[in-house]
Amino acid sequence: MDSALVGACRCVVSPVDGGGQEMALESRWIVAADGKQSSTRALTGIETHLERADYGLALVPVPTPRNYPRTIRAHRRPDGMATTVPGASPGLTYVFTHMADRTASPEQVVQWATRVVAASDEILGPALAAEARPERTFRIEPQIVNAAAWRNDGVLLLGDSAHGMHNIGGQGLNTALQDALSLGDALLRHAEDGKTERIDGFIDRRRPFIDRLQDAQRTLGEAFWPEAGAESWFRPRFAELSLGQQEMRRDWRDIAAA
């Protein structure tokens, strides 16, 4: 990255295989949307804390049934949660499982996921019973990304690059799309007047909400399942998790309608 000055950003791209020629790219801004392990964030020198969870998720892959709707479904229960994601990989549907029993074996994970999904999904349930295999399951470790800044001169962090979420919270994609609406509009305003107030104003309004959401998601480990009689972590947050930050919803509506 030769320059990260606002309005005068410049990157030099080199082929990873060593062949070909370097290519210089110039732009007014660089928007880093390259995930939790963002290399752009590292290039621009933004200090970042990567926090690993004390638990893992087990993923159960199954070939996507013919004509299966591309709808993500979350099955929340007292003994765990199973989230089905069609097309997570070409031709495959993944069942993300987060079980109260942290010691469950791959065989137990598959049996539990199949039973839970079959109770309300008449298409995927039978497919899991016929196709899911314990030896094909694998685990991932949820992480939280906390970047010291979301902007460094002309480099902007977007989505997971700025604030990667725990997978179990299910808000990484939502918050990234919301960021993109606001930042896209702010960049258009900058193109008109050359000022950064709207960009910095978005960050100032957005960051406290994201910080609170990340703090809450830290409870999704041991405290995910409430004590007897206690309220689910998700229930009082339904509107906020579905529609996003309340004080910004009108902005997103107006931007999308423009």
Side-chain angles (χ1 to χ4, degrees):
M1 191 178 295
D2 280 359
S3 171
L5 296 177
V6 174
C9 297
R10 187 174 187 273
C11 288
V12 177
V13 182
S14 302
V16 294
D17 59 4
Q21 296 181 338
E22 292 184 340
M23 177 174 58
L25 301 176
E26 297 181 357
S27 65
R28 284 176 292 191
W29 291 88
I30 294 172
V31 179
D34 51 349
K36 292 180 179 179
Q37 305 291 340
S38 171
S39 56
T40 311
R41 187 181 61 217
L43 283 173
T44 200
I46 295 177
E47 183 180 346
T48 305
H49 176 60
L50 190 66
E51 181 181 327
R52 301 183 185 279
D54 61 353
Y55 61 90
L57 301 178
L59 273 62
V60 181
V62 61
T64 303
R66 179 183 291 274
N67 299 323
Y68 189 60
R70 294 180 62 85
T71 302
I72 295 175
R73 298 180 178 180
H75 307 262
R76 307 190 197 282
R77 297 160 43 101
D79 55 348
M81 184 174 79
T83 304
T84 60
V85 184
S89 291
L92 289 177
T93 290
Y94 282 103
V95 183
F96 290 73
T97 64
H98 182 50
M99 296 175 61
D101 181 3
R102 303 301 179 84
T103 64
S105 66
E107 292 79 7
Q108 292 170 319
V109 168
V110 169
Q111 292 171 4
W112 181 85
T114 300
R115 184 173 68 253
V116 168
V117 172
S120 57
D121 191 328
E122 60 184 17
I123 298 177
L124 191 61
L128 279 166
E131 302 284 352
R133 299 287 183 271
E135 64 272 15
R136 296 177 187 167
T137 66
F138 58 96
R139 291 185 177 272
I140 60 173
E141 186 179 61
Q143 300 171 331
I144 282 181
V145 170
N146 194 300
W150 294 2
R151 177 168 90 85
N152 187 7
D153 290 331
V155 178
L156 290 165
L157 304 184
L158 171 65
D160 278 356
S161 296
H163 47 69
M165 301 282 179
H166 277 183
N167 307 68
I168 192 64
Q171 293 305 304
L173 182 58
N174 282 357
T175 53
L177 290 173
Q178 293 158 6
D179 287 356
L181 273 174
S182 295
L183 284 178
D185 180 68
L187 289 172
L188 287 174
R189 303 295 184 182
H190 176 265
E192 295 171 357
D193 59 23
K195 298 178 181 178
T196 63
E197 281 85 351
R198 203 168 276 247
I199 294 169
D200 294 328
F202 161 72
I203 294 173
D204 289 342
R205 294 172 66 197
R206 183 68 161 163
R207 178 129 205 180
F209 170 81
I210 293 294
D211 287 346
R212 288 195 301 271
L213 182 57
Q214 287 188 322
D215 286 343
Q217 293 209 353
R218 289 185 176 91
T219 71
L220 295 183
E222 296 296 338
F224 179 79
W225 294 277
E227 298 292 334
E231 191 172 41
S232 161
W233 183 89
F234 288 92
R235 186 175 299 279
R237 295 175 173 84
F238 179 78
E240 191 171 82
L241 297 178
S242 301
L243 303 175
Q245 190 172 348
Q246 182 173 0
E247 63 269 28
M248 300 192 73
R249 292 173 197 167
R250 182 181 295 274
D251 292 349
W252 294 324
R253 185 197 65 188
D254 293 344
I255 292 168

